[in-house]
């Protein structure tokens, strides 16, 4: 299996000193909106698709390997689905990476000659373990690429509620969001995705706290709030005017979950609230409480 060692010297030279903005989560916290926003910046070369799931499928194939088959199936059906030529080419690029891991960085090296930054956002990267994150860092650094993890955070309980509302949209009216929330009290993936304390601690240990940029969902869409511009500057980018009227992948409205269930989830996620409050203080949205 190919890796960065198989990159041609000229392609490695093109990547030297470039910054990879690696979106690591969180799911249902505005990562798709942020991806589209940063992709408009002339200094940024975006990945061929937003949620590449490149490292998750590579490092946890039993859990995330299905993404490789999903991309291949989408490409096979692209003609019948009416996908345009450019989108098919991007899908084909991602499918190539399934069999040639060096194709990931080679794709950026071919297309980002005049750009200082590269970017991809896969919320599932928040679920990678510490040693897997060290592998990710080494993979980039072997090609001279500087990794800047970006983590978008939303109130931990609100994020889980939004996930289950989206699940109802996907699975139909028979899906019970409250039952899904109740199951999360016992643990599971959605609870882990909201344990920002654990995710941030891993990112800090692997990349260094100064390299990790955090963006708060609740502060993204207020035109009077400088937070978005601060995030862009922290990533080494000149801020762009945001398209605040755009809403991508909104969760459908459903009745509010029982207050007692929300309170129990908040208690379960108290370490996440506490960690963010201690590290980011007044920058964290007041609405989080916790």
């Amino acid at each position: 299996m190919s890796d960065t060692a198989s990159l041609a010297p000229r392609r490695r030279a093109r990547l030297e000193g470039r910054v990879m903005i690696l979106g690591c989560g969180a799911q249902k916290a505005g990562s798709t909106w942020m991806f589209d926003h940063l992709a408009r910046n002339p200094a940024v070369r975006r990945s061929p698709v937003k949620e590449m799931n490149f490292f998750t499928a590579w490092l946890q194939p039993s859990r995330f390997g299905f993404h490789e088959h999903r991309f291949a199936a989408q490409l096979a059906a692209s003609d019948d689905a009416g996908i345009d030529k450019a989108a098919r080419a991007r899908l084909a690029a991602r499918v190539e990476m399934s069999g040639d891991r060096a194709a990931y960085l080679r794709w950026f090296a071919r297309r980002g000659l005049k750009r200082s930054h590269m970017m991809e956002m896969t919320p599932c990267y928040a679920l990678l373990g510490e040693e897997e994150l060290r592998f990710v860092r080494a993979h980039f650094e072997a090609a001279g690429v500087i990794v800047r993890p970006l983590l978008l955070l939303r109130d931990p309980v609100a994020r889980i509620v939004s996930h289950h509302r989206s699940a109802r949209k996907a699975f139909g009216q028979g899906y019970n969001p409250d039952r899904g929330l109740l199951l999360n009290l016992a643990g599971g993936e959605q609870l882990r995705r909201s344990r920002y304390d654990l995710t941030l601690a891993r990112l800090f240990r692997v990349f260094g706290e100064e390299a990790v940029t955090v963006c708060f969902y609740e502060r993204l869409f207020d035109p009077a709030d400088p937070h978005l511009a601060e995030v862009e500057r922290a990533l080494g980018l000149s801020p762009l005017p945001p398209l605040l009227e755009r809403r991508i992948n909104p969760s459908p409205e459903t009745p509010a979950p029982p207050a007692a269930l929300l309170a129990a989830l908040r208690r379960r996620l108290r370490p996440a609230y506490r960690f963010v409050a201690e590290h980011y203080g007044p920058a964290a949205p007041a609405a989080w409480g916790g």
Side-chain angles (χ1 to χ4, degrees):
M1 185 178 293
S2 300
D3 58 18
T4 50
S6 66
L7 279 175
R10 69 182 186 281
R11 300 210 187 281
R12 190 186 303 272
R14 290 176 180 176
L15 293 170
E16 187 76 33
R18 302 295 173 86
V19 174
M20 168 55 79
I21 301 171
L22 193 67
C24 298
Q27 185 188 47
K28 305 307 295 180
S31 62
T32 302
W33 185 93
M34 179 64 83
F35 182 82
D36 284 1
H37 173 72
L38 294 180
R40 293 170 44 229
N41 194 306
V44 176
R45 167 55 66 190
R46 52 158 283 178
S47 55
V49 297
K50 182 242 175 182
E51 293 190 24
M52 295 282 283
N53 272 287
F54 176 74
F55 291 107
T56 41
W58 185 359
L59 299 173
Q60 297 186 15
S62 62
R63 187 175 182 186
F64 294 106
F66 72 91
H67 287 292
E68 308 284 25
H69 305 292
R70 178 174 62 87
F71 285 123
Q74 288 175 349
L75 180 62
S78 59
D79 283 335
D80 293 338
I83 297 176
D84 63 47
K85 184 177 180 180
R88 283 200 302 273
R90 291 195 295 270
L91 266 175
R94 175 60 184 86
V95 170
E96 180 187 6
M97 297 172 195
S98 299
D100 180 2
R101 300 300 184 184
Y104 177 94
L105 286 175
R106 194 165 60 239
W107 191 91
F108 288 103
R110 287 172 176 169
R111 294 163 177 81
L113 285 176
K114 298 182 179 179
R115 310 200 186 205
S116 58
H117 289 63
M118 309 178 292
M119 171 186 64
E120 78 133 308
M121 291 194 182
T122 299
C124 285
Y125 290 166
L127 299 174
L128 291 174
E130 186 170 335
E131 290 308 309
E132 292 164 332
L133 289 171
R134 292 191 188 281
F135 178 92
V136 171
R137 178 174 179 170
H139 186 77
F140 284 112
E141 290 186 346
V145 176
I146 302 163
V147 188
R148 294 298 308 272
L150 172 63
L151 193 64
L152 283 85
L153 301 184
R154 182 178 186 175
D155 179 294
V157 171
R159 192 209 67 75
I160 294 181
V161 170
S162 180
H163 164 79
H164 287 292
R165 284 175 169 168
S166 291
R168 185 171 188 179
K169 179 180 178 181
F171 297 116
Q173 295 298 314
Y175 182 84
N176 186 334
D178 291 350
R179 183 176 182 276
L181 290 172
L182 186 61
L183 291 174
N184 284 138
L185 276 175
E189 180 177 303
Q190 291 308 316
L191 195 74
R192 290 195 297 275
R193 286 179 184 263
S194 278
R195 284 295 304 269
Y196 306 146
D197 53 318
L198 302 180
T199 301
L200 282 166
R202 289 195 298 273
L203 291 172
F204 290 170
R205 287 193 295 269
V206 173
F207 297 98
E209 186 169 350
E210 70 287 347
V212 179
T213 301
V214 163
C215 179
F216 292 102
Y217 171 87
E218 290 85 356
R219 297 185 59 189
L220 268 182
F221 305 107
D222 179 355
D225 192 328
H227 182 55
L228 176 60
E230 292 167 352
V231 167
E232 290 170 283
R233 292 191 187 98
L235 293 169
L237 299 171
S238 297
L240 286 182
L243 302 177
L244 295 177
E245 71 279 4
R246 296 191 68 192
R247 290 294 185 271
I248 303 175
N249 297 333
S251 299
E253 290 298 322
T254 61
L261 179 54
L262 294 179
L265 275 170
R266 184 170 290 270
R267 289 192 296 273
R268 190 81 161 79
L269 289 164
R270 190 170 293 156
Y273 287 102
R274 185 183 300 118
F275 187 95
V276 171
E278 289 174 353
H279 279 75
Y280 298 100
W288 279 30

